[in-house]
Amino acid sequence: MDRHRRLTLLRATDRAAAVILVNRRIHVTVTLDRLTPAELLTLSGELNDEYGRFREAGFALDLTRGKPSRSQLALSDTLDTGDAAEGGFIAADGSDTRNYGGLDGLPEARELGATLLGVRPDEIMAGGNSSLTLMYLYLLNAWLYGPAGPGSAWRDGGTTKFLCPVPGYDRHFAILEDLGIEMLNVRMTADGPDMDQVESLVREDPTVKGLWCVPKYSNPGGETYSDATVQRLGRLGTIAGPHFRIMWDNAYAVHDLDDTPPQLDNIMDACRAQGTDDSVMLFASTSKVTRAGAGIAFTAGSPVNLTAFRARLQTLTIGPDKVNQLRHVRFLRDLDGVREHMQQHAAILRPKFDLVQRRLSEALDGKGMGHWSAPRGGYFVSFDSLPGLARRIINLAEDAGVKLTPAGATFPYRRDPDDSNIRLAPTFPDLADLDQAMRVFTVCVQLASVTQRLAD
Ligand SMILES: Cc1ncc(COP(=O)(O)O)c(C=O)c1O
């Protein structure tokens, strides 16, 4: 059976299934179910042949890296050569950025961060090169010394637990694992974390001390939290145990792919309205705006939070790299400047995300072999295979020269209870490599699905 006939066969069964079921996930499952054993065997043979040809081709492709491509990085090359570099070293307040000092960061860098995160300039610190470092330090500080200063250390209360919307960002989970903080999975919905589940866990258990949030274009699912979710998060501090903190990692605040991006409600305002300002810490960086791991990281919070955190930071450092902060502010200017710059990123990224959607749809639409996100920004596409197949698909792809993020990586303790989630990172490879990698990936998905069905 050639590829065209195979697709025709599946489309015919799609039509039959579509008549009886509208829910996409069930609809496509029925479709796979409707293939006779003989049809499945034929399909399996075809897919094995195609897979064999990929293996012989000796590809070396990589879909694991959620990092900017070279052309994206080149958008910021004038950081070193243009006005940003030639404007001298003296900041607006007259301070010499080459010298020590200024723990909170340059006022102009803080102002930029404040507009990015939607807080007041006095609520923000501009730090070094990595928001992940700030998040780690913040949690270490909260656990060891206390998020609100003396008497508030989480470790003094014994067991410390944290809520983790899943699938989520592996490095968030790694921090908690490192600190021995117990992680509890929370379902992710199209509107953000399942707030019924969050509220009941927080209400019932005062040892739950926090919640991870990537509120815009969540890693890896691409969800942006709804206004209702943000408002309910603002109220969490009224039902949680003492010293509860939402870790608001707005890493993709301005990383839109289209011109009418979803709007994220302001978490600090939501908290302020409930008198829970202390229950949130915000983070962001310019890692995927200018240079990955060589931009400016920001953290924001209430005076109580910043005072306690500052006490730790001033033991750690005399101050951040203000030279880098100054040239970044000159380069990006303000929020409008950031948005203009991000449109250039979007122009590079859109064709890649479109290609991923196209290849997935062409190969898998209506076949009952998985479903996937269609993000409007951020860095990832989240793919869910049939239960029990993620590891198998990833191994198949690796044997055919395509590296995928390890199975389970998007869950605490690397345990995906359904063994189904796979994070695809389309930003780094060029279009030709991405295209080839997606062709291999979709054949691996089909092969694993058909093999599983045959074994049932
Ligand atoms: C959700 C999220 N937060 C933080 C980071 C890392 O940020 P930084 O480079 O500022 O440490 C990433 C990088 O992929 C990310 O996806």
Side-chain angles (χ1 to χ4, degrees):
M1 190 171 23
D2 66 18
R3 186 175 147 76
H4 176 72
R5 278 176 54 211
R6 201 168 71 224
L7 287 172
T8 311
L9 169 69
L10 287 164
R11 288 207 184 104
T13 53
D14 279 357
R15 278 195 293 276
V19 176
I20 37 175
L21 290 162
V22 282
N23 176 295
R24 180 164 173 258
R25 198 164 177 181
I26 301 170
H27 154 77
V28 291
T29 305
V30 171
T31 304
L32 186 59
D33 284 352
R34 287 175 68 96
L35 291 180
T36 65
E39 286 167 342
L40 281 169
L41 265 178
T42 313
L43 191 52
S44 159
E46 282 288 320
L47 288 164
N48 262 308
D49 289 349
E50 210 166 340
Y51 178 68
R53 283 193 289 278
F54 285 148
R55 282 189 66 170
E56 280 161 24
F59 297 129
L61 304 166
D62 194 331
L63 282 185
T64 65
R65 294 170 296 190
K67 49 187 196 180
S69 60
R70 278 182 188 209
S71 48
Q72 286 178 267
L73 297 171
L75 297 173
S76 303
D77 280 353
T78 52
L79 264 172
D80 297 311
T81 55
D83 290 348
E86 287 157 13
F89 298 103
I90 306 303
D93 65 357
S95 63
D96 187 336
T97 58
R98 294 168 300 184
N99 222 330
Y100 274 141
L103 185 66
D104 283 7
L106 285 184
E108 48 267 64
R110 293 170 64 200
E111 207 172 305
L112 179 69
T115 55
L116 207 60
L117 280 171
V119 296
R120 298 190 306 241
D122 64 311
E123 291 172 326
I124 194 154
M125 296 175 79
N129 69 317
S130 161
S131 61
L132 194 70
T133 303
L134 288 173
M135 291 180 244
Y136 182 89
L137 287 172
Y138 184 78
L139 288 172
L140 177 64
N141 172 58
W143 184 78
L144 197 54
Y145 297 96
S152 65
W154 288 345
R155 67 177 171 146
D156 292 345
T159 306
T160 305
K161 297 178 192 157
F162 227 80
L163 304 185
C164 301
V166 290
Y169 180 36
D170 52 350
R171 289 179 184 272
H172 284 166
F173 306 149
I175 294 175
L176 297 177
E177 198 170 356
D178 192 64
L179 296 175
I181 294 175
E182 195 182 319
M183 293 178 264
L184 305 177
N185 292 2
V186 168
R187 277 182 302 277
M188 194 69 181
T189 76
D191 288 330
D194 179 333
M195 287 308 296
D196 290 341
Q197 200 188 359
V198 167
E199 284 165 359
S200 95
L201 286 163
V202 159
R203 191 180 289 113
E204 282 160 19
D205 188 350
T207 70
V208 171
K209 291 296 178 201
L211 165 72
W212 275 118
C213 292
V214 182
K216 190 152 174 213
Y217 307 132
S218 186
N219 176 351
E223 302 89 350
T224 295
Y225 292 13
S226 68
D227 291 356
T229 298
V230 175
Q231 293 306 318
R232 284 173 80 172
L233 287 167
R235 284 195 291 275
L236 266 192
T238 64
I239 58 170
H243 313 306
F244 176 88
R245 295 291 183 272
I246 296 167
M247 294 290 283
W248 190 259
D249 176 6
N250 205 353
Y252 300 107
V254 286
H255 302 59
D256 311 310
L257 285 172
D258 61 55
D259 297 334
T260 52
Q263 299 300 310
L264 176 68
D265 211 355
N266 187 309
I267 185 69
M268 196 49 127
D269 287 348
C271 287
R272 235 191 293 279
Q274 299 292 330
T276 59
D277 324 20
D278 294 344
S279 70
V280 65
M281 278 301 285
L282 298 88
F283 301 88
S285 79
T286 67
S287 272
K288 288 165 182 170
V289 176
T290 54
R291 290 177 177 166
I296 316 175
F298 302 99
T299 185
S302 69
V304 167
N305 282 331
L306 286 194
T307 302
F309 193 30
R310 200 180 278 118
R312 209 82 312 105
L313 291 176
Q314 77 192 10
T315 314
L316 184 88
T317 178
I318 303 171
D321 178 352
K322 299 183 299 302
V323 175
N324 190 39
Q325 291 187 356
L326 185 56
R327 63 188 178 145
H328 265 80
V329 176
R330 285 183 180 145
F331 178 69
L332 294 169
R333 297 188 325 269
D334 51 21
L335 196 55
D336 285 343
V338 172
R339 291 201 191 286
E340 270 167 40
H341 186 72
M342 293 313 289
Q343 280 171 6
Q344 299 180 62
H345 280 275
I348 296 169
L349 290 178
R350 242 184 336 256
K352 296 187 179 185
F353 279 82
D354 287 349
L355 177 65
V356 169
Q357 294 299 320
R358 207 160 55 243
R359 291 288 167 255
L360 288 169
S361 292
E362 283 167 3
L364 300 173
D365 258 358
K367 290 187 184 172
M369 297 177 182
H371 56 104
W372 55 92
S373 62
R376 296 180 59 195
Y379 262 58
F380 303 101
V381 173
S382 180
F383 183 88
D384 283 306
S385 70
L386 293 173
L389 287 187
R391 197 171 298 274
R392 175 83 189 119
I393 292 165
I394 289 164
N395 289 341
L396 280 170
E398 182 157 22
D399 287 347
V402 176
K403 257 177 133 178
L404 297 171
T405 309
T410 52
F411 284 76
Y413 310 108
R414 295 160 296 285
R415 273 187 234 129
D416 174 356
D418 293 330
D419 184 26
S420 76
N421 188 250
I422 299 172
R423 188 183 84 170
L424 303 174
T427 59
F428 189 74
D430 62 28
L431 274 172
D433 280 358
L434 181 61
D435 196 11
Q436 193 55 64
M438 287 309 298
R439 287 176 194 276
V440 174
F441 175 71
T442 53
V443 165
C444 294
V445 171
Q446 294 175 79
L447 186 56
S449 307
V450 169
T451 308
Q452 186 192 55
R453 189 80 199 110
L454 275 169
D456 280 350

